[in-house]
Amino acid sequence: METSKKAQKIGILTAGGDCPGLNAAIRGVGKTAIVEYGMEVLGFNAGYLGLINNDYTELKESQLSGILTLGGTILGTSREKPYKMVKKNGKTDTHKPEKIKKNYKKLGLDCIVCIGGNGTMKTASMLAKEGLNVIGIPKTIDNDVWGTDVTFGFDSAVQIATDAIDRLHTTANSHQRVMIIEIMGHHAGWLALYSGVAGGGDIILLPEIPYNIRSVCKKIENRYEDNKPYSIVVVAEGIDHPKNQTAASHLSEAIQTYTGIETRETVLGYIQRGGSPTPMDRILATRYGAHAAQCIAESNFGTMVAMKNNELTTVSLEEVGSNLRLVQPEHPLITKARKMGVSFGDEYQLIE
Amino acid sequence: METSKKAQKIGILTAGGDCPGLNAAIRGVGKTAIVEYGMEVLGFNAGYLGLINNDYTELKESQLSGILTLGGTILGTSREKPYKMVKKNGKTDTHKPEKIKKNYKKLGLDCIVCIGGNGTMKTASMLAKEGLNVIGIPKTIDNDVWGTDVTFGFDSAVQIATDAIDRLHTTANSHQRVMIIEIMGHHAGWLALYSGVAGGGDIILLPEIPYNIRSVCKKIENRYEDNKPYSIVVVAEGIDHPKNQTAASHLSEAIQTYTGIETRETVLGYIQRGGSPTPMDRILATRYGAHAAQCIAESNFGTMVAMKNNELTTVSLEEVGSNLRLVQPEHPLITKARKMGVSFGDEYQLIE
Amino acid sequence: METSKKAQKIGILTAGGDCPGLNAAIRGVGKTAIVEYGMEVLGFNAGYLGLINNDYTELKESQLSGILTLGGTILGTSREKPYKMVKKNGKTDTHKPEKIKKNYKKLGLDCIVCIGGNGTMKTASMLAKEGLNVIGIPKTIDNDVWGTDVTFGFDSAVQIATDAIDRLHTTANSHQRVMIIEIMGHHAGWLALYSGVAGGGDIILLPEIPYNIRSVCKKIENRYEDNKPYSIVVVAEGIDHPKNQTAASHLSEAIQTYTGIETRETVLGYIQRGGSPTPMDRILATRYGAHAAQCIAESNFGTMVAMKNNELTTVSLEEVGSNLRLVQPEHPLITKARKMGVSFGDEYQLIE
Amino acid sequence: METSKKAQKIGILTAGGDCPGLNAAIRGVGKTAIVEYGMEVLGFNAGYLGLINNDYTELKESQLSGILTLGGTILGTSREKPYKMVKKNGKTDTHKPEKIKKNYKKLGLDCIVCIGGNGTMKTASMLAKEGLNVIGIPKTIDNDVWGTDVTFGFDSAVQIATDAIDRLHTTANSHQRVMIIEIMGHHAGWLALYSGVAGGGDIILLPEIPYNIRSVCKKIENRYEDNKPYSIVVVAEGIDHPKNQTAASHLSEAIQTYTGIETRETVLGYIQRGGSPTPMDRILATRYGAHAAQCIAESNFGTMVAMKNNELTTVSLEEVGSNLRLVQPEHPLITKARKMGVSFGDEYQLIE
């Protein structure tokens, strides 16, 4: 696909789970493309489904006004994965990527901007291999996309989760209870770590750090003896636990059994994904979007925009693949928190 | 117990579940008692437990500064019910009320101000029958205390629940899903009703209005056909549902089964009880507290302070008992909401 | 104008200053009119200007979705007063009311719903006298419309103002300063009173209660001597002050001069008028809107919807006129606040 | 002063203007010093005044609990500059630094942690030169301390300012006005830049970029002609303007004069400095505090903790001095914003 001609017509889509800042990113791409580069911008509906079904609307500048602060995505989203082979009427359906390529050509697109998380970047990378001009923008409240220091959506989710922990604090103190709050994060514990530290959690459990339930209880009992008969336990949903329970209810039962102290659990759930983005997420999403438009103008395709050491840059989509950026157990924030008395559930060597 | 002498020494306690505004109420009682009436004020710890165990601290005016905005209660709370007869070593323990009376006399108290919900008022009423000077202040996020139009804590909980519904809206729209949110309220649906209307819920299910699952699904399907392929269902935890599930997960399963539309559920939980009170809850709690102090000065005992038709008044604690103020199915807010298209799950006559 | 026939076509307009909840009210009128009564709904742009210039758009149900939480008004607003006689090219322009009547007839309107404050109700009342079917809905952050206990917008403004006072508190304490905050309210002090009490203001100055600057300073000095070397002064913009200064800067100078204590002032300004309405304002605006639609269906014209003793009702527009509902100096909230030590600037008899 | 012995007794003070996160930083230093290193921690009251007057209290771990979320500073603050020579009874008072040194020795301090902005770091640097062990922690909502990428307090202030801009947006649109908002920042425009971009400001004026009023008006007029008859102007207080006006009122007058479009101004003021810190500011302040304690343990004195490329590090206090970190006119965020159509007031070459 020749890249020497000036890009004139681009598409945007948002894929994967909801996340604050999607509209800010769409606006960033679209306004820059229109105002600075005079491009035509198409918005594809419902993620990759829109590309497959040629379902799109043209985005004029006026439609990009007033969406900076809106949660959700004006384009809709879906978890459609066009390269996932599915049986259809007994036969494997291999036509989705073909449909995408056909629509891409038919519309005369010069680039597709794919805004999403790990799965979205993986698909974007495969489309790039097929010869399409693709640029990725990393979003996810989990902050676990490889190749960038930060994704938009994370700051907003930290705010929501921390606000919830703040609220539980007053109840924990007033009732002298152990309050357990389960935070999103199947594989990566960034959200639990940041909201746990910001919310003053006494115990923070992450998927990346195997915990020992007796160690957790010991911390709670030590606090109790130290005249602090309440504790806040912040736990990522992805920690080791029986599959027929939530992480929170598993911990709640275990703690109550071992310590005899009253416990209550809260599973924060989908409210972490919605609502107006924080100012910092608006700025980050805007910068990512604007940078993606600039990359198109510079024919820098097959890349994902990224932030490294506070500088906007790009990484190869192939490198990003579907790699996860996990929390390192020796992350400085963990080390600092441990020194202030926060437990990560792995402190005590216990002989059962 | 003579009431003609001027009250000089009073106690305050907070009992039952946590609720925004408890500290504002304590401050209202205490500041008025100290500044206006020159009383001595004792704060009993952990609800009625403090009265039973003579566990208290004197509250000076300086300790009442800066607590107006604080969530929780500086006195702590508990669900202790002194009149609940419990077997202890094989014998029924009838000594708790006796201990309370003894401590009340020993300390030379002129009145106890009991801040709490229905259970707390019931106990307060029984203590009043035993001859103690008692004044109740109604608090609960459920807004279901008999004898008053409103309890403090409700406005704050409506705010928290509505904020959560707002966040789910963006995700529902972006993903074209049915989002179900479970709101506190075992018996009374006030919180689900108010947050449901304020949050623009499409279906609102209350304990007071029996719902039909097919009617709920019909509403969702009608919206789908009307090009609104997403719905918000706001449900009180106390609606009819199997005991091995939450109300939300029961509904979620049923809706997905009947309609085939993707559903997600959120149980909001304890965050509805905590955190800084809204301005209106601060004002209400302050007024209740100040009025309780005035009632003491006027020897208006055995009563609960209340708001009726926007006026501060008192009702007999005996009348309050543990009666519940439930939502009337013909409540004007429900009637209005129905006319705007909101479903309460009981609209359609369906032949199974 | 015959009112026996069923109303079929109505207009809505929003006039006067911005206020949270306008869109919720528009939605309440529109959805009820369309869903329940099958009416056609026109939205007039920019308040009475739209009526004068026949500038309107039809509002379909889909346009009323998603606006419940939006600040501002989708119809725009203006301060246009059609009965205010203005010289135009040397002649008095009396044509505006004539134009309104002509457009009303030409469009075949059955009623105009006017959402606004005192000025808007005055105009609505005059249009009703001319024979138009008019219904008013009271909005204003000032809460000073005659004939109703409460206007929507007030609760949101109290929240914003209280949040600001909360922020000043921490700075006042940390710096040991007198912080003065000026709140909107030219004639009525409701907003300063409620946010002042909710924010724990030490001194609250209202247009309705003449203050004595020496009395204000005495309170500050008493606090200083009482080991509270900081004070929060909440002041309505409409208190007596020189016209070349803001109320806040006048007080600031005077207090610093008399007491020698460092003072800082903040004029909160327009942020009190904007942004998403609180849940309670959304509910109130929705109820008002839905009730207005019902009044149309019942041919209850020439009235303003109102809340009295927590019940929806109507009052005659003529009675409302442009009367103001001011704070009574003996308002129970003031009396209670005084007993807790709050100063209203009039306590001390001082001989100069 | 020997630094080989293990530090055992340290002091903390907070100086300069109020800023969200001060208590989080105090807690970070204190908890780490006590829990990890077993040090004794003294809190000096009212900034450098406490050091001069030997006014302090010991901080136990229990006093550091529950302050993470509190705005303000539990230690109080002041703008006292001990090296500023003042005439006292006709003589220059040179005794303050001497008093500090005397108290430092008398108390047997091993280090003083000074939390503050540029002025505070300058003083800290001078105390270090006199031989005291000093460590600085950078705080300021202005984000302009030399030697670090970010100061705590900034994220919170961006949030407050952006929230205010969001509110003005709805009013600007509804009234078709130009809304001008003045943001703190005498020398550095970071806060105006970030909140301006996050709030979707149309024109952003910074002290670092000289503006042309005709260029500002041209942008407003272009928007007007482009069917956007409203504009948001975000302006740092430190832009060039006559000294007898605020920056906002100067602009307001000029814009109204040149364009004839209605304008309104808001000076946000002290609310930008107060209230509970955002989660990210709590984390940053905690990390800075904990790192300062670690520096003490490692005898890394005469330094300021800092964040560079997302890594905690230290810089020499001497280097920091009172240098300011200003916004570069070619900052990537500015470049990106320009491409999206944001004006910085310097775009048009105008012949007057």
Side-chain angles (χ1 to χ4, degrees), chain C residues 304-342:
Chain C
M304 181 185 81
V305 298
M307 192 68 78
K308 285 197 177 165
N309 295 333
N310 296 331
E311 298 220 344
L312 272 174
T313 182
T314 55
V315 292
S316 155
L317 273 170
E318 194 167 6
E319 184 194 331
V320 177
S322 55
N323 285 323
L324 287 183
R325 195 177 68 92
L326 299 180
V327 178
Q328 297 302 309
E330 298 304 318
H331 188 282
L333 185 53
I334 294 176
T335 315
K336 288 277 185 288
R338 286 189 195 274
K339 288 187 181 173
M340 291 172 64
V342 176

Short mmCIF file of all heavy atoms in Angstrom, two decimals, chain C residues 304-342:
data_model
loop_
_atom_site.label_atom_id
_atom_site.label_comp_id
_atom_site.label_asym_id
_atom_site.label_seq_id
_atom_site.Cartn_x
_atom_site.Cartn_y
_atom_site.Cartn_z
N MET C 304 -48.68 28.67 37.67
CA MET C 304 -47.29 28.20 37.80
C MET C 304 -47.33 26.94 38.64
O MET C 304 -48.00 26.89 39.68
CB MET C 304 -46.44 29.27 38.49
CG MET C 304 -44.97 28.87 38.66
SD MET C 304 -43.99 30.10 39.59
CE MET C 304 -44.44 29.67 41.29
N VAL C 305 -46.62 25.89 38.21
CA VAL C 305 -46.52 24.71 39.06
C VAL C 305 -45.66 25.07 40.26
O VAL C 305 -44.76 25.91 40.18
CB VAL C 305 -45.93 23.50 38.31
CG1 VAL C 305 -46.84 23.10 37.14
CG2 VAL C 305 -44.52 23.76 37.82
N ALA C 306 -45.95 24.45 41.40
CA ALA C 306 -45.28 24.82 42.64
C ALA C 306 -45.25 23.64 43.58
O ALA C 306 -45.99 22.66 43.41
CB ALA C 306 -46.03 25.98 43.30
N MET C 307 -44.36 23.72 44.55
CA MET C 307 -44.28 22.72 45.60
C MET C 307 -44.67 23.42 46.91
O MET C 307 -44.07 24.43 47.26
CB MET C 307 -42.85 22.19 45.70
CG MET C 307 -42.65 20.96 46.55
SD MET C 307 -43.41 19.45 45.89
CE MET C 307 -42.24 19.02 44.62
N LYS C 308 -45.70 22.89 47.56
CA LYS C 308 -46.06 23.44 48.87
C LYS C 308 -46.23 22.30 49.85
O LYS C 308 -47.01 21.37 49.59
CB LYS C 308 -47.34 24.26 48.77
CG LYS C 308 -47.10 25.62 48.11
CD LYS C 308 -48.24 26.58 48.38
CE LYS C 308 -47.93 27.94 47.75
NZ LYS C 308 -49.13 28.79 47.67
N ASN C 309 -45.53 22.37 50.95
CA ASN C 309 -45.56 21.29 51.94
C ASN C 309 -45.34 19.94 51.30
O ASN C 309 -46.06 18.97 51.56
CB ASN C 309 -46.89 21.30 52.70
CG ASN C 309 -47.04 22.55 53.53
OD1 ASN C 309 -46.04 23.15 53.95
ND2 ASN C 309 -48.28 22.94 53.77
N ASN C 310 -44.36 19.87 50.43
CA ASN C 310 -43.98 18.63 49.75
C ASN C 310 -45.01 18.11 48.77
O ASN C 310 -44.92 16.97 48.32
CB ASN C 310 -43.67 17.51 50.75
CG ASN C 310 -42.46 17.83 51.61
OD1 ASN C 310 -41.57 18.55 51.16
ND2 ASN C 310 -42.45 17.34 52.82
N GLU C 311 -46.01 18.91 48.44
CA GLU C 311 -46.99 18.46 47.46
C GLU C 311 -46.95 19.35 46.23
O GLU C 311 -46.90 20.57 46.33
CB GLU C 311 -48.40 18.48 48.06
CG GLU C 311 -48.54 17.54 49.24
CD GLU C 311 -49.87 16.82 49.24
OE1 GLU C 311 -50.81 17.25 48.52
OE2 GLU C 311 -49.99 15.83 50.00
N LEU C 312 -47.03 18.69 45.08
CA LEU C 312 -47.13 19.42 43.82
C LEU C 312 -48.48 20.10 43.73
O LEU C 312 -49.52 19.50 43.99
CB LEU C 312 -47.00 18.44 42.64
CG LEU C 312 -45.59 18.15 42.15
CD1 LEU C 312 -45.63 17.06 41.08
CD2 LEU C 312 -44.93 19.41 41.59
N THR C 313 -48.46 21.37 43.33
CA THR C 313 -49.71 22.11 43.22
C THR C 313 -49.51 23.21 42.17
O THR C 313 -48.49 23.23 41.49
CB THR C 313 -50.12 22.69 44.59
OG1 THR C 313 -51.36 23.35 44.44
CG2 THR C 313 -49.08 23.67 45.11
N THR C 314 -50.48 24.07 42.03
CA THR C 314 -50.31 25.21 41.14
C THR C 314 -50.75 26.48 41.86
O THR C 314 -51.57 26.44 42.78
CB THR C 314 -51.15 25.08 39.85
OG1 THR C 314 -52.53 24.88 40.22
CG2 THR C 314 -50.69 23.91 39.00
N VAL C 315 -50.17 27.60 41.44
CA VAL C 315 -50.61 28.90 41.93
C VAL C 315 -50.87 29.78 40.71
O VAL C 315 -50.30 29.56 39.64
CB VAL C 315 -49.57 29.59 42.83
CG1 VAL C 315 -49.43 28.84 44.15
CG2 VAL C 315 -48.22 29.68 42.13
N SER C 316 -51.70 30.76 40.91
CA SER C 316 -52.01 31.66 39.80
C SER C 316 -50.79 32.48 39.41
O SER C 316 -50.10 33.04 40.28
CB SER C 316 -53.15 32.60 40.24
OG SER C 316 -53.11 33.80 39.50
N LEU C 317 -50.52 32.58 38.12
CA LEU C 317 -49.39 33.39 37.66
C LEU C 317 -49.54 34.84 38.08
O LEU C 317 -48.55 35.53 38.35
CB LEU C 317 -49.28 33.30 36.13
CG LEU C 317 -48.46 32.14 35.57
CD1 LEU C 317 -48.63 32.04 34.07
CD2 LEU C 317 -46.98 32.29 35.93
N GLU C 318 -50.77 35.28 38.15
CA GLU C 318 -51.02 36.66 38.52
C GLU C 318 -50.54 36.93 39.95
O GLU C 318 -49.95 37.96 40.24
CB GLU C 318 -52.51 36.97 38.40
CG GLU C 318 -52.79 38.45 38.44
CD GLU C 318 -54.24 38.76 38.01
OE1 GLU C 318 -55.01 37.79 37.81
OE2 GLU C 318 -54.57 39.95 37.89
N GLU C 319 -50.81 35.95 40.81
CA GLU C 319 -50.39 36.09 42.21
C GLU C 319 -48.87 36.12 42.32
O GLU C 319 -48.29 36.87 43.11
CB GLU C 319 -50.96 34.91 43.02
CG GLU C 319 -50.66 35.00 44.50
CD GLU C 319 -50.91 33.68 45.21
OE1 GLU C 319 -51.79 32.89 44.77
OE2 GLU C 319 -50.22 33.42 46.21
N VAL C 320 -48.22 35.26 41.51
CA VAL C 320 -46.76 35.19 41.56
C VAL C 320 -46.15 36.52 41.13
O VAL C 320 -45.26 37.05 41.79
CB VAL C 320 -46.24 34.06 40.62
CG1 VAL C 320 -44.71 34.05 40.62
CG2 VAL C 320 -46.80 32.71 41.05
N GLY C 321 -46.69 37.04 40.02
CA GLY C 321 -46.20 38.32 39.50
C GLY C 321 -44.69 38.33 39.51
O GLY C 321 -44.05 37.39 39.08
N SER C 322 -44.14 39.40 40.04
CA SER C 322 -42.69 39.35 40.22
C SER C 322 -42.37 39.52 41.69
O SER C 322 -41.36 40.11 42.06
CB SER C 322 -42.02 40.42 39.36
OG SER C 322 -42.55 41.68 39.66
N ASN C 323 -43.26 39.00 42.53
CA ASN C 323 -42.99 39.03 43.97
C ASN C 323 -41.76 38.19 44.30
O ASN C 323 -41.49 37.20 43.64
CB ASN C 323 -44.18 38.46 44.73
CG ASN C 323 -45.33 39.44 44.77
OD1 ASN C 323 -45.11 40.64 44.88
ND2 ASN C 323 -46.55 38.92 44.68
N LEU C 324 -41.09 38.58 45.34
CA LEU C 324 -39.92 37.82 45.78
C LEU C 324 -40.22 37.12 47.09
O LEU C 324 -40.88 37.67 47.97
CB LEU C 324 -38.73 38.75 45.99
CG LEU C 324 -38.06 39.31 44.75
CD1 LEU C 324 -36.85 40.15 45.15
CD2 LEU C 324 -37.62 38.17 43.85
N ARG C 325 -39.73 35.90 47.21
CA ARG C 325 -39.83 35.18 48.47
C ARG C 325 -38.49 35.35 49.20
O ARG C 325 -37.49 34.75 48.81
CB ARG C 325 -40.12 33.71 48.21
CG ARG C 325 -40.60 32.93 49.43
CD ARG C 325 -40.93 31.50 49.09
NE ARG C 325 -39.74 30.76 48.74
CZ ARG C 325 -39.00 30.06 49.60
NH1 ARG C 325 -39.38 29.98 50.87
NH2 ARG C 325 -37.93 29.43 49.21
N LEU C 326 -38.47 36.20 50.20
CA LEU C 326 -37.22 36.50 50.92
C LEU C 326 -37.08 35.62 52.16
O LEU C 326 -38.03 34.99 52.61
CB LEU C 326 -37.21 37.98 51.30
CG LEU C 326 -37.26 38.97 50.12
CD1 LEU C 326 -37.25 40.40 50.64
CD2 LEU C 326 -36.11 38.72 49.16
N VAL C 327 -35.86 35.60 52.68
CA VAL C 327 -35.61 34.89 53.94
C VAL C 327 -36.18 35.70 55.09
O VAL C 327 -35.90 36.90 55.20
CB VAL C 327 -34.09 34.70 54.15
CG1 VAL C 327 -33.82 34.01 55.48
CG2 VAL C 327 -33.47 33.92 53.00
N GLN C 328 -36.99 35.08 55.93
CA GLN C 328 -37.46 35.76 57.12
C GLN C 328 -36.35 35.75 58.17
O GLN C 328 -35.76 34.71 58.42
CB GLN C 328 -38.70 35.05 57.69
CG GLN C 328 -39.89 35.07 56.77
CD GLN C 328 -40.32 36.48 56.41
OE1 GLN C 328 -40.50 37.32 57.29
NE2 GLN C 328 -40.42 36.75 55.11
N PRO C 329 -36.08 36.91 58.79
CA PRO C 329 -35.01 36.94 59.80
C PRO C 329 -35.22 35.95 60.95
O PRO C 329 -34.26 35.58 61.62
CB PRO C 329 -35.05 38.39 60.31
CG PRO C 329 -35.62 39.16 59.16
CD PRO C 329 -36.60 38.26 58.49
N GLU C 330 -36.48 35.53 61.14
CA GLU C 330 -36.74 34.55 62.20
C GLU C 330 -36.87 33.13 61.64
O GLU C 330 -37.47 32.27 62.29
CB GLU C 330 -37.99 34.94 62.98
CG GLU C 330 -37.89 36.27 63.68
CD GLU C 330 -36.70 36.33 64.63
OE1 GLU C 330 -36.46 35.34 65.34
OE2 GLU C 330 -36.00 37.37 64.63
N HIS C 331 -36.36 32.91 60.43
CA HIS C 331 -36.39 31.56 59.84
C HIS C 331 -35.79 30.54 60.83
O HIS C 331 -34.76 30.82 61.44
CB HIS C 331 -35.60 31.56 58.54
CG HIS C 331 -35.72 30.29 57.75
ND1 HIS C 331 -35.04 29.14 58.08
CD2 HIS C 331 -36.46 29.97 56.66
CE1 HIS C 331 -35.35 28.17 57.21
NE2 HIS C 331 -36.20 28.66 56.34
N PRO C 332 -36.44 29.39 60.99
CA PRO C 332 -35.96 28.40 61.98
C PRO C 332 -34.49 28.02 61.80
O PRO C 332 -33.80 27.77 62.79
CB PRO C 332 -36.85 27.18 61.72
CG PRO C 332 -38.05 27.67 60.99
CD PRO C 332 -37.67 28.94 60.30
N LEU C 333 -34.01 27.99 60.57
CA LEU C 333 -32.61 27.62 60.37
C LEU C 333 -31.68 28.69 60.94
O LEU C 333 -30.61 28.38 61.48
CB LEU C 333 -32.34 27.41 58.87
CG LEU C 333 -30.96 26.90 58.48
CD1 LEU C 333 -30.59 25.64 59.25
CD2 LEU C 333 -30.89 26.63 56.98
N ILE C 334 -32.12 29.94 60.85
CA ILE C 334 -31.32 31.04 61.43
C ILE C 334 -31.34 30.95 62.94
O ILE C 334 -30.30 31.08 63.60
CB ILE C 334 -31.88 32.40 60.95
CG1 ILE C 334 -31.67 32.52 59.43
CG2 ILE C 334 -31.22 33.56 61.70
CD1 ILE C 334 -32.26 33.78 58.81
N THR C 335 -32.51 30.73 63.48
CA THR C 335 -32.65 30.64 64.94
C THR C 335 -31.78 29.51 65.48
O THR C 335 -31.07 29.68 66.49
CB THR C 335 -34.12 30.39 65.31
OG1 THR C 335 -34.93 31.28 64.53
CG2 THR C 335 -34.37 30.64 66.78
N LYS C 336 -31.84 28.37 64.81
CA LYS C 336 -31.04 27.23 65.26
C LYS C 336 -29.53 27.53 65.14
O LYS C 336 -28.75 27.22 66.04
CB LYS C 336 -31.35 25.99 64.39
CG LYS C 336 -32.72 25.36 64.62
CD LYS C 336 -32.68 24.41 65.79
CE LYS C 336 -34.01 23.66 65.98
NZ LYS C 336 -35.09 24.53 66.50
N ALA C 337 -29.16 28.14 64.03
CA ALA C 337 -27.74 28.43 63.81
C ALA C 337 -27.22 29.40 64.87
O ALA C 337 -26.10 29.25 65.37
CB ALA C 337 -27.53 28.98 62.40
N ARG C 338 -28.03 30.40 65.19
CA ARG C 338 -27.61 31.36 66.22
C ARG C 338 -27.30 30.65 67.54
O ARG C 338 -26.34 30.98 68.24
CB ARG C 338 -28.72 32.38 66.48
CG ARG C 338 -28.89 33.43 65.38
CD ARG C 338 -29.87 34.49 65.87
NE ARG C 338 -30.39 35.36 64.82
CZ ARG C 338 -29.79 36.47 64.38
NH1 ARG C 338 -28.64 36.84 64.90
NH2 ARG C 338 -30.34 37.19 63.43
N LYS C 339 -28.15 29.66 67.88
CA LYS C 339 -27.96 28.96 69.16
C LYS C 339 -26.70 28.11 69.18
O LYS C 339 -26.25 27.69 70.23
CB LYS C 339 -29.18 28.08 69.45
CG LYS C 339 -30.42 28.86 69.82
CD LYS C 339 -31.54 27.94 70.25
CE LYS C 339 -32.80 28.75 70.60
NZ LYS C 339 -33.94 27.87 70.86
N MET C 340 -26.19 27.82 67.97
CA MET C 340 -24.95 27.05 67.90
C MET C 340 -23.74 27.96 67.80
O MET C 340 -22.62 27.49 67.65
CB MET C 340 -25.00 26.10 66.71
CG MET C 340 -26.01 24.99 66.90
SD MET C 340 -26.22 24.02 65.38
CE MET C 340 -24.56 23.33 65.24
N GLY C 341 -23.98 29.26 67.82
CA GLY C 341 -22.86 30.19 67.84
C GLY C 341 -22.59 30.89 66.52
O GLY C 341 -21.64 31.67 66.41
N VAL C 342 -23.40 30.63 65.49
CA VAL C 342 -23.21 31.33 64.22
C VAL C 342 -23.67 32.78 64.36
O VAL C 342 -24.72 33.05 64.94
CB VAL C 342 -24.00 30.63 63.09
CG1 VAL C 342 -23.89 31.41 61.78
CG2 VAL C 342 -23.52 29.20 62.90
#
